[in-house]
Amino acid sequence: MKLSDYIIDFLVEEGVTHIFEVCGGALGHIIDSLYDRTDISSVPMHHEMAAAIAAEGYSRVSGNVGVAMATSGPGATNLITGIGSCFFDSIPSLFITGQVNTYEFKFDKDVRQIGFQETDIVSIVKPIVKDAEIITDEKCIKYTLEKYIHTARDGRPGPVLLDIPLNIQRADIDPSKISSYENINIFNESIDSEIIKDILKFISESSRPVILAGGGIRLSHAEEEILKFVDKTGIPVVTSLMGLDAFPHDHESFVGMIGTYGNRHANLTLANADLLIVLGSRLDTRQTGTIAESFARGAKIIHVDIDPSELNNKIKSDISINSDVKMFLMELNENIGKQTREKLEPWQNTIKTFKKKYPHFKEPINEDIHPNHLMHKLSEFLPEDAIICVDVGQNQMWASQSIEIKKSQRFLTQGGMASIGSALPMAIGASFAQPNKTIVVITGDGGFQLNTQELQTVFHHNLPIKIVLLNNHSYGMIRQFQEQYFDCRFQSTGRGYSCPDFQKVVTAYGIDSMQINSNNEINGVFKRLFNDKSPMFLEVLINPDHKALPKLSVNMPLEDQEPLLPFDELRSNMFIDVLRRNEENED
């Protein structure tokens, strides 16, 4: 059979239902092998970056490997942003690039290029993939595909890339006569029983425990296990940005998101903990602040992560466990009995006080739309099983601070690569993975312009994607930095920046469009937005002076966000010693 036909058959057997691609000459045979297939669909996108991010969204929602394809040269290099995001956020994915014939490829020759659009994509992406290879022998295709799908899923998931030259794509093979890959090194580490005993002892001795739920909860499919653990123990839960949908926000133990732009009440909760159980989070600077020694300084720390390199990296833990989070929680749940809730009541009451004193939104006092209140109101109208895809920038922070996520809802956003413009292609991939669910895009006027072309993909497939664009006529997050650090010199965020009339742009793509600029319009427009499953666009005009707050500045502990609380008030909130502010912070 033709090798390109075998590739498609293989992907079908692996449960892949959609491939996101932009066609090109060097991809010709693989594209042709998709023609008239009824068991798998090709989704032609309008930019390769969008195709890569759509594959990311598909994987995040389906739990399966996401697949994107592009031609050689510019097609392959345009995939890089999406590949990097899958690497940093641990998304299992396969990227297939076409390549010039092997007899046109330069290999070790001391020339820049031989074949048209020839580019050594394998060398370029090596730092941001789990593995990458150019196929130069058609007899290796079966072994390599099996190995790479296993690699993408195994341990800490991530992307792999196969570069396939044209003459290899069209080669004739007999799959029954070429070698296969034997799956080995499946992560199956058992946890020492003595460590489990130590953890149970830590929990029993703690009066202010906190769980930090990270992105590893969803990646390991541990949502039910963490619920079971929390219901047994009553331990409060904070999340990282990537773990925001790992735990239902209407659960009595949910507190909020921590970090630089975290909820103030959540940061205070973590800062006061005497025991911190970190589940599937790498504890990056956006979570801990820049002063590592100030993070959870009054707590014993238990850190669980599937990647050993993320343990005891910046934050030193008392117990480090290299394990799949679901496996860890299953073992812990088997060994822990239902805990006495009364012991934690004072701690839970303290957290309730924090949440009441420092809410994640405020009721409006005039018709000016405040983004945090808008996100809170959006939560009231979201379908129970909605998938929320959030862009990067101020809109990401407002959404993560104030959207209230239910158990069956998803919150998808990029953490590590954090590319503006990612929400729309992410939503497209999610929609193909879950075609019966409403997908909501939250984006800004700056980021939306980076992938506006994918409105055609939404229109072409009539995808049930609802786009909410917060328009402050600025790159708002950078403007906020410029106001704080550069004396309001708004170069390229105000001066030199502009955006089009989005009502005209979106309407030109055949998608219904609305616009609001006052609070009294919110309820009505959200009712209309979710009245049916057709694609729709809502532009919300907001004041450019609205900032993403609270915000943690450099060289400040997690609990001391701007706008700064009076120092006596901060001290009254703390069970542990308060770190002094320097004069610069006070000013």
Side-chain angles (χ1 to χ4, degrees):
M1 70 183 301
K2 189 177 177 181
L3 184 141
S4 58
D5 292 337
Y6 172 75
I7 292 172
I8 304 304
D9 285 350
F10 174 84
L11 293 175
V12 170
E13 288 177 9
E14 291 296 324
V16 175
T17 58
H18 293 82
I19 299 173
F20 304 90
E21 45 83 5
V22 176
C23 65
L27 199 62
H29 292 281
I30 302 177
I31 291 289
D32 183 65
S33 291
L34 284 162
Y35 192 74
D36 279 344
R37 295 291 296 238
T38 58
D39 50 358
I40 191 170
S41 297
S42 168
V43 182
M45 305 288 284
H46 296 83
H47 194 287
E48 293 87 355
M49 179 176 79
I53 297 172
E56 176 186 354
Y58 174 92
S59 178
R60 286 179 186 260
V61 170
S62 71
N64 199 1
V65 170
V67 180
M69 301 194 303
T71 192
S72 60
T77 56
N78 280 344
L79 291 172
I80 289 173
T81 296
I83 294 172
S85 181
C86 290
F87 185 68
F88 298 134
D89 288 353
S90 308
I91 307 301
S93 45
L94 170 65
F95 295 91
I96 297 174
T97 51
Q99 187 55 272
V100 299
N101 296 295
T102 54
Y103 51 80
E104 297 176 296
F105 195 77
K106 76 184 193 72
F107 292 105
D108 294 328
K109 294 184 179 72
D110 191 21
V111 294
R112 294 190 180 187
Q113 187 185 56
I114 297 175
F116 173 66
Q117 292 187 328
E118 173 198 349
T119 304
D120 184 2
I121 190 64
V122 169
S123 296
I124 292 171
V125 302
K126 278 282 189 180
I128 53 169
V129 293
K130 293 185 74 175
D131 209 347
E133 184 176 333
I134 181 171
I135 302 294
T136 57
D137 182 350
E138 65 270 19
K139 293 188 291 295
C140 295
I141 190 64
K142 183 178 182 180
Y143 176 92
T144 307
L145 277 172
E146 291 173 351
K147 175 187 174 184
Y148 271 39
I149 289 292
H150 171 71
T151 299
R153 293 170 172 156
D154 189 45
R156 183 177 181 178
V160 293
L161 181 141
L162 279 179
D163 195 31
I164 308 178
L166 276 165
N167 59 319
I168 301 296
Q169 294 176 34
R170 64 178 178 263
D172 187 61
I173 61 170
D174 182 346
S176 66
K177 294 182 179 179
I178 55 180
S179 59
S180 294
Y181 173 76
E182 292 185 15
N183 290 351
I184 55 174
N185 296 328
I186 296 175
F187 195 96
N188 193 24
E189 291 286 336
S190 60
I191 300 163
D192 190 302
S193 59
E194 291 302 313
I195 292 178
I196 295 293
K197 288 179 183 177
D198 289 341
I199 292 171
L200 296 179
K201 185 172 183 290
F202 278 11
I203 292 173
S204 68
E205 293 175 348
S206 170
S207 59
R208 300 191 306 276
V210 172
I211 294 167
L212 170 55
I217 298 289
R218 280 283 183 182
L219 288 170
S220 64
H221 310 290
E223 304 94 308
E224 293 302 322
E225 293 300 326
I226 190 174
L227 263 175
K228 188 185 299 183
F229 178 64
V230 171
D231 286 340
K232 282 185 174 184
T233 62
I235 299 177
V237 178
V238 299
T239 77
S240 67
L241 174 66
M242 301 311 294
L244 205 59
D245 65 354
F247 196 82
H249 294 198
D250 53 3
H251 192 285
E252 62 179 355
S253 292
F254 177 76
V255 181
M257 181 186 75
I258 61 105
T260 300
Y261 293 94
N263 303 116
R264 193 187 295 272
H265 56 260
N267 279 4
L268 284 168
T269 298
L270 187 147
N272 279 299
D274 63 4
L275 174 64
L276 179 62
I277 304 172
V278 183
L279 301 174
S281 177
R282 62 192 180 92
L283 298 178
D284 73 311
T285 303
R286 279 284 181 114
Q287 294 174 53
T288 66
T290 55
I291 312 174
E293 59 271 20
S294 74
F295 177 77
R297 58 190 179 277
K300 293 178 179 176
I301 298 178
I302 300 166
H303 192 180
V304 184
D305 203 283
I306 199 166
D307 186 347
S309 63
E310 301 291 1
L311 298 169
N312 289 309
N313 188 357
K314 188 180 74 168
I315 304 298
K316 306 305 177 185
S317 52
D318 295 89
I319 299 177
S320 302
I321 302 170
N322 179 212
S323 172
D324 174 85
V325 170
K326 183 176 182 179
M327 290 169 53
F328 167 77
L329 285 171
M330 288 174 65
E331 194 149 349
L332 201 57
N333 283 331
E334 287 176 7
N335 287 276
I336 193 169
K338 196 169 181 66
Q339 302 292 294
T340 305
R341 296 295 190 100
E342 288 74 15
K343 185 184 72 168
L344 295 184
E345 280 185 7
W347 178 225
Q348 292 163 341
N349 289 334
T350 296
I351 294 169
K352 288 177 183 176
T353 301
F354 289 158
K355 294 176 81 169
K356 186 175 181 179
K357 286 171 67 176
Y358 311 113
H360 61 82
F361 74 95
K362 292 181 180 179
E363 292 294 340
I365 56 175
N366 52 39
E367 286 308 311
D368 180 36
I369 295 176
H370 194 286
N372 286 97
H373 177 255
L374 180 78
M375 294 298 106
H376 163 70
K377 294 297 293 183
L378 176 61
S379 305
E380 296 178 5
F381 291 89
L382 287 172
E384 290 288 321
D385 60 352
I387 299 171
I388 309 146
C389 299
V390 184
D391 224 306
V392 175
Q394 286 178 318
N395 60 86
Q396 183 188 47
M397 297 300 103
W398 290 320
S400 58
Q401 288 171 345
S402 298
I403 282 186
E404 294 130 31
I405 302 166
K406 298 181 179 67
K407 183 179 179 182
S408 298
Q409 294 173 342
R410 295 297 312 274
F411 185 97
L412 310 183
T413 194
Q414 290 188 348
M417 180 61 80
S419 55
I420 63 171
S422 57
L424 182 57
M426 183 93 72
I428 291 169
S431 188
F432 280 105
Q434 293 282 355
N436 296 319
K437 294 188 177 182
T438 298
I439 317 295
V440 180
V441 168
I442 298 172
T443 186
D445 54 288
F448 189 63
Q449 295 184 72
L450 272 69
N451 273 310
T452 309
Q453 76 283 344
E454 298 310 327
L455 289 171
Q456 183 61 32
T457 311
V458 174
F459 172 78
H460 180 85
H461 295 280
N462 195 34
L463 300 177
I465 294 177
K466 313 292 185 176
I467 302 167
V468 180
L469 184 146
L470 280 63
N471 190 351
N472 57 7
H473 294 87
S474 175
Y475 284 121
M477 187 66 87
I478 306 306
R479 176 189 168 95
Q480 186 171 330
F481 291 162
Q482 289 170 328
E483 183 173 334
Q484 183 173 8
Y485 299 115
F486 299 105
D487 295 328
C488 295
R489 294 191 297 276
F490 298 130
Q491 176 60 46
S492 303
T493 60
R495 178 186 294 177
Y497 171 82
S498 64
C499 59
D501 182 335
F502 289 114
Q503 300 300 304
K504 292 180 180 178
V505 170
V506 175
T507 302
Y509 280 98
I511 295 172
D512 286 345
S513 180
M514 303 177 289
Q515 183 188 82
I516 63 171
N517 63 6
S518 66
N519 280 307
N520 62 15
E521 300 173 280
I522 290 176
N523 285 350
V525 81
F526 279 158
K527 285 178 184 177
R528 182 182 169 194
L529 188 67
F530 297 109
N531 188 49
D532 58 31
K533 289 293 186 79
S534 62
M536 192 170 285
F537 176 85
L538 170 62
E539 181 181 11
V540 182
L541 301 179
I542 61 172
N543 189 321
D545 290 332
H546 284 310
K547 298 179 179 62
L549 295 171
K551 175 185 181 292
L552 185 68
S553 291
V554 174
N555 294 326
M556 295 290 279
L558 195 63
E559 67 274 11
D560 207 0
Q561 294 171 286
E562 296 178 348
L564 298 176
L565 300 177
F567 195 73
D568 287 344
E569 181 179 344
L570 176 63
R571 185 159 43 200
S572 71
N573 288 327
M574 300 300 292
F575 287 80
I576 61 176
D577 289 340
V578 181
L579 298 184
R580 297 296 306 180
R581 297 169 179 164
N582 59 41
E583 292 182 5
E584 182 180 341
N585 294 136
E586 290 285 5
D587 291 340

